[in-house]
Amino acid sequence: MQPYIRIEKRNNMEKQYRQETKCIQSGWTPKNGEPRIMPIIQSTTFKYESTEEMGRLFDLEEDGYFYSRVQNPTSDMVAAKIADLEGGVAAVLTSSGQAANFYAVLNICEAGDHIVSAASIYGGTYNLFGVTLKKLGIECTFVDADADEETIAAAFRPNTKVMFAETIANPALVVLDIEKFARIAHAHQVPLIVDNTFATPINCRPFEWGADIVVHSTTKYMDGHAMQIGGAIVDSGNFDWDACGSKFHGLTEPDESYHGIVYTKKFGKAAYITKATVQLMRDLGAVPSPMNCFLLNVGLETLALRMERHCYNAGRIAEYLNSHEKVSHVNYAGLPTDKYYALAQKYMPKGTCGVISFELTGGREAAVRFMDSLKLAAIVTHVADARTGVLHPASHTHRQMNDQQLKEAGVSPGLIRLSVGIENVDDLLEDLAQALEQA
Ligand SMILES: *Cc1c(COP(=O)(O)O)cnc(C)c1O
């Protein structure tokens, strides 16, 4: 029997199915007599009959598996599904969303380089770019994503290699004008990397608007059950690295660690993902376990269904909060009164996500009383779970800041972040109503 492990991380579905079908069917197409369910290949290593055969794998002369730090079939099957959902050519899975962001940048940046990022991004990524990358010699300029094109373009330097933003920023819920960012990036011969964690490819496909690379924390909606920490990098295959002279020399010039192969020459549209896999994974090794990849796939199977319900529930709850006398302000791009409603209608007409933030008129004390009175919604640092969760940034993620510092960070003492789950919305509304009474 031909081993069923000769899988590529490339999106190799023959027919273009709709998103709901891809969630179920992409990535693993069993042949006669093979398991119906995507198998977990819980093996570090793969056996060969001849020294010569395995040697060719090490030289990247042939496709195949030899060690799971570099490639594992279960991981690759799930990567292929995510690549298909995003409409990319290939993807690679990482052990966390943070690792995905780190590798996505490090794959084309080195000491002496510079990146431009939207300022309203996930706190972990903000630290990664502002503090840790700086220690490695890569500088980041943060820009206001809502600023006009000239203002943002002024942040670019001759050594800028990457532009970065989130489709829906966590936790600020800023919706990105993807076309604007892509225009600015491409005018400077730089790829646009978009973190599509909150919108998911069900609600937004950044490649269709000009993004070149998409990253995910698969920990969130893709998993959806708070079971595993994981990440993904997806390549559109559209960025022309060779057209930029020696700017992306890691991709367009010989790699000494592989006898001088040139990624763009040998792997074409899959050059970027191949380099991330055979160089960064080989050397840094933030691989997900096959078991976690399997769990992620179970989550992906229902992603389309769940996103629909997350958005429906969040929309109903945002409307309710918006009209409540104890709530002074609601941030949710699905609300027609929201600052980002028009952008959300353009880029994600089916819905945005299940995360809402809102402000209580009673400030910090009211927020604490409200949170402690909730019965269904649990206090957790997680978001994008099937279960409703709630967090009070002033008491949790931003606890070290005083009220003045909170104001500067755009987090007011009464702000609450609510990640709406897929329970029956009436039960959630009743829970919120009784907790608001206590606030
Ligand atoms: C959670 C999150 C991350 C980090 O992902 P981990 O899987 O927790 O490492 C990065 N970006 C966004 C937008 C996130 O929500």
Side-chain angles (χ1 to χ4, degrees):
M1 186 173 99
Q2 172 74 13
Y4 53 71
I5 57 171
R6 289 209 168 234
I7 308 228
E8 276 190 273
K9 58 174 86 264
R10 295 198 201 192
N11 165 16
N12 49 18
M13 291 298 281
E14 282 163 23
K15 181 172 160 26
Q16 272 298 305
Y17 291 103
R18 292 163 185 82
Q19 295 296 74
E20 295 81 356
T21 308
K22 291 178 190 173
C23 282
I24 301 287
Q25 300 281 357
S26 288
W28 170 239
T29 311
K31 297 185 195 72
N32 192 37
E34 291 185 340
R36 181 66 193 98
I37 302 305
M38 180 186 288
I40 309 173
I41 311 293
Q42 191 76 43
S43 181
T44 58
T45 192
F46 302 84
K47 183 210 140 177
Y48 289 90
E49 305 280 314
S50 76
T51 15
E52 174 58 24
E53 228 179 320
M54 187 168 329
R56 283 203 296 274
L57 298 177
F58 272 92
D59 276 348
L60 306 181
E61 285 304 325
E62 224 171 89
D63 269 336
Y65 295 94
F66 53 96
Y67 193 58
S68 285
R69 170 151 43 73
V70 180
Q71 280 185 293
N72 171 277
T74 309
S75 175
D76 283 357
M77 290 183 256
V78 182
K81 175 178 282 191
I82 293 174
D84 197 18
L85 282 166
E86 285 288 4
V89 292
V92 62
L93 299 191
T94 58
S95 57
S96 70
Q98 283 304 101
N101 283 334
F102 180 42
Y103 288 7
V105 171
L106 200 65
N107 205 30
I108 40 180
C109 288
E110 59 190 30
D113 287 344
H114 172 252
I115 68 175
V116 174
S117 171
S120 47
I121 52 171
Y122 178 67
T125 313
Y126 193 89
N127 278 330
L128 170 67
F129 290 174
V131 180
T132 302
L133 284 189
K134 197 172 178 186
K135 290 181 192 162
L136 300 180
I138 300 166
E139 264 193 84
C140 179
T141 302
F142 292 104
V143 295
D144 175 1
D146 294 337
D148 59 50
E149 292 197 33
E150 294 83 75
T151 308
I152 297 173
F156 279 75
R157 304 177 189 168
N159 60 340
T160 306
K161 299 283 175 76
V162 161
M163 193 178 195
F164 183 96
E166 295 174 0
T167 34
I168 305 173
N170 175 13
L173 303 177
V174 169
V175 176
L176 181 70
D177 187 342
I178 308 173
E179 283 189 314
K180 177 178 81 176
F181 262 53
R183 255 194 321 271
I184 302 169
H186 297 159
H188 295 84
Q189 287 201 314
V190 158
L192 173 62
I193 303 181
V194 169
D195 184 331
N196 196 29
T197 297
F198 268 26
T200 83
I202 301 304
N203 285 343
C204 180
R205 299 217 304 170
F207 294 153
E208 291 171 358
W209 305 99
D212 302 287
I213 290 145
V214 159
V215 285
H216 281 280
S217 164
T218 62
T219 317
K220 311 294 166 53
Y221 289 114
M222 283 194 169
D223 173 302
H225 301 77
M227 294 186 297
Q228 56 89 46
I229 301 273
I233 308 172
V234 193
D235 187 1
S236 67
N238 292 335
F239 195 83
D240 190 350
W241 311 102
D242 283 315
C244 305
S246 61
K247 192 168 190 170
F248 299 102
H249 58 89
L251 284 160
T252 60
E253 289 171 15
D255 178 355
E256 294 311 320
S257 71
Y258 279 112
H259 317 304
I261 64 155
V262 175
Y263 292 101
T264 49
K265 281 214 176 71
K266 192 158 174 67
F267 301 103
K269 280 182 174 294
Y272 175 91
I273 286 295
T274 305
K275 178 174 180 286
T277 305
V278 302
Q279 207 183 63
L280 296 185
M281 283 303 186
R282 179 196 62 186
D283 296 353
L284 302 173
V287 285
S289 73
M291 182 69 203
N292 275 2
C293 297
F294 178 84
L295 291 172
L296 169 57
N297 184 57
V298 175
L300 285 168
E301 291 189 355
T302 58
L303 180 66
L305 267 179
R306 284 185 291 104
M307 287 314 288
E308 211 177 295
R309 177 66 82 86
H310 277 295
C311 292
Y312 171 74
N313 284 0
R316 289 276 308 274
I317 287 171
E319 275 170 27
Y320 167 73
L321 292 171
N322 207 26
S323 62
H324 199 285
E325 67 204 10
K326 289 188 179 174
V327 177
S328 57
H329 186 73
V330 178
N331 299 307
Y332 186 64
L335 275 183
T337 49
D338 193 84
K339 185 180 172 192
Y340 298 103
Y341 182 71
L343 280 176
Q345 288 297 298
K346 172 177 176 180
Y347 291 111
M348 42 201 90
K350 285 198 294 182
T352 54
C353 66
V355 182
I356 297 172
S357 67
F358 61 99
E359 185 95 37
L360 293 184
T361 48
R364 183 192 290 262
E365 275 171 38
V368 170
R369 274 199 308 276
F370 166 80
M371 303 255 310
D372 290 348
S373 306
L374 287 167
K375 296 200 165 61
L376 263 182
I379 298 173
V380 286
T381 43
H382 193 56
V383 287
D385 183 6
R387 282 150 286 257
T388 296
V390 66
L391 183 94
H392 181 219
S395 305
H396 306 133
T397 45
H398 296 65
R399 192 181 180 82
Q400 276 72 27
M401 297 183 180
N402 61 34
D403 283 6
Q404 181 56 34
Q405 289 171 319
L406 283 173
K407 200 176 275 173
E408 283 164 17
V411 177
S412 51
L415 189 80
I416 291 165
R417 185 179 75 182
L418 181 70
S419 174
V420 179
I422 58 174
E423 300 94 338
N424 185 299
V425 72
D426 293 328
D427 288 328
L428 295 175
L429 286 166
E430 283 166 23
D431 192 28
L432 293 171
Q434 65 81 21
L436 280 167
E437 239 162 69
Q438 310 298 316

